[in-house]
Amino acid sequence: MLRRLVLVSLVTSAAGVGGLGPLPPLPLLSAPDALTVTISKSGHRSADGTFKLECGDKDGKGAEARGDHPAAAGACERLAGYAKAGKDPFAPVGKDRMCSLQHGGPAVAHITGEWQGRAVDARFSRANGCEIERWENLEPVLPHLSHVRG
C-alpha cells in the first residue's frame, strides 16, 4: 500500500498536479528587467537625470537594451554578467566591512524597479572607498566618474 501511495505521489508531482502549486513561468515568458536609474550631483549635466533601462533576452542571443539610459547596451551587458555569476549588484556594503576614508565626490544614485524577478530599491554614493568600489562595479549602469575622486 505504501509503495503504491509513493508511486502515485511521484507521478502526480511530475505532472504538476501534486499540490505544490503552479509550475514556474518559462524563462522565455519572463518579463524583461526594468529599472529606473536616477543620478544627481555628478557634476555633469549629461550624467544627471532619471533614465529608464529595460533589459530583455534577444532570441536567446544576449541582452537586448531599451530605454533612454545613455549607455543602455553596456548597462544591460553588465547586469547580465552579474545574473550569470549569481551575484547581486544592488547589495549594500556590509555593515562590518572596513572602508577607506576617501571621498569620491557628491554624486548619488537611486535605482528602483525589477531585476531578475525581484524588486530593487538601492542607493549609491561615493562617500568612502567601499561605496566608490560599489559604484564603479556597476558602471555603465551608473556613470563613470572616477575623475571626481578627492
Side-chain angles (χ1 to χ4, degrees):
M1 178 71 170
L2 181 58
R3 189 179 297 170
R4 186 179 300 161
L5 179 60
V6 169
L7 183 59
V8 169
S9 293
L10 287 173
V11 170
T12 56
S13 292
V17 293
L20 297 176
L23 295 175
L26 296 173
L28 297 174
L29 303 176
S30 297
D33 297 330
L35 299 171
T36 300
V37 181
T38 302
I39 310 294
S40 60
K41 302 179 187 173
S42 75
H44 299 281
R45 275 189 241 172
S46 61
D48 285 351
T50 298
F51 307 99
K52 299 290 185 186
L53 176 64
E54 192 172 293
C55 304
D57 191 39
K58 185 175 183 177
D59 304 326
K61 298 177 184 171
E64 178 181 24
R66 291 183 295 276
D68 61 357
H69 188 284
C76 288
E77 285 179 26
R78 184 72 181 123
L79 291 170
Y82 273 107
K84 186 175 182 181
K87 295 185 178 182
D88 180 3
F90 306 107
V93 172
K95 293 184 188 290
D96 59 341
R97 186 164 172 204
M98 297 288 287
C99 302
S100 63
L101 295 176
Q102 65 186 102
H103 185 68
V108 292
H110 187 203
I111 301 176
T112 58
E114 188 169 316
W115 181 73
Q116 297 296 299
R118 67 175 183 80
V120 172
D121 187 354
R123 296 186 184 277
F124 294 80
S125 74
R126 299 176 61 80
N128 60 47
C130 295
E131 291 294 344
I132 293 169
E133 177 185 31
R134 184 172 172 246
W135 182 294
E136 290 178 353
N137 283 337
L138 203 51
E139 291 174 2
V141 177
L142 299 176
H144 178 71
L145 300 175
S146 64
H147 64 280
V148 179
R149 276 190 178 170

